[in-house]
Amino acid sequence: MTDYLVTYDLKEGASNQWAEFVKQAELVGLVYVFQGTSKLFRLANTTLWGVFADTDAVTAAFDKALTATEKVIGRKITLEKRFITAISDWSIRSDENKAPDSRWTKTTKFETCRAHQKNDPFFAY
């Protein structure tokens, strides 16, 4: 399994499309909280991270989240841009970062990030 980073742009549309897309993306394994060496970081807007077998799997997950979002909001969303890349080496700077909270620390870094994104008010969308 490999860490993947996805950055994307959705065309302006329904006011709730971004928040709903983030909800649907989380359900398929893409989150906006990233675990570094000792801290959790909030990624840039319209950037998600996840752990997948390959590029096809992360692409399918992203597309599934987009389709689910369209169903919830009742309209088509235009994906303007998307870039997916495997993370082999990284550097991150975020003005929103903190040490993991033991209440939401899980057995994998992805599950820790997911739990913080869902439960930690510090990372609320």
Side-chain angles (χ1 to χ4, degrees):
M1 299 293 274
T2 303
D3 291 303
Y4 282 91
L5 198 64
V6 180
T7 183
Y8 63 95
D9 283 336
L10 305 178
K11 186 173 182 175
E12 289 289 329
S15 62
N16 65 334
Q17 73 183 9
W18 291 277
E20 187 59 41
F21 178 71
V22 167
K23 287 180 192 175
Q24 297 302 322
E26 182 268 324
L27 296 174
V28 297
L30 290 163
V31 295
Y32 59 78
V33 175
F34 178 78
Q35 185 170 1
T37 306
S38 62
K39 290 186 176 181
L40 300 171
F41 297 89
R42 169 68 161 88
L43 295 173
N45 292 339
T46 70
T47 303
L48 300 169
W49 165 77
V51 181
F52 293 88
D54 55 33
T55 305
D56 290 340
V58 68
T59 301
F62 184 95
D63 291 344
K64 183 177 180 179
L66 194 60
T67 299
T69 303
E70 290 174 339
K71 288 180 182 175
V72 170
I73 67 170
R75 64 178 297 280
K76 177 86 173 120
I77 297 172
T78 301
L79 174 64
E80 293 181 326
K81 299 170 197 72
R82 174 178 66 201
F83 179 73
I84 298 173
T85 188
I87 304 172
S88 60
D89 192 18
W90 56 270
S91 171
I92 188 168
R93 180 176 185 268
S94 174
D95 61 342
E96 296 177 40
N97 64 80
K98 66 179 268 192
D101 187 314
S102 61
R103 292 176 288 176
W104 302 301
T105 299
K106 305 298 181 189
T107 56
T108 68
K109 67 181 183 178
F110 180 79
E111 288 303 322
T112 295
C113 292
R114 173 185 264 166
H116 279 79
Q117 179 173 307
K118 290 178 76 170
N119 302 307
D120 189 342
F122 183 82
F123 290 113
Y125 189 76

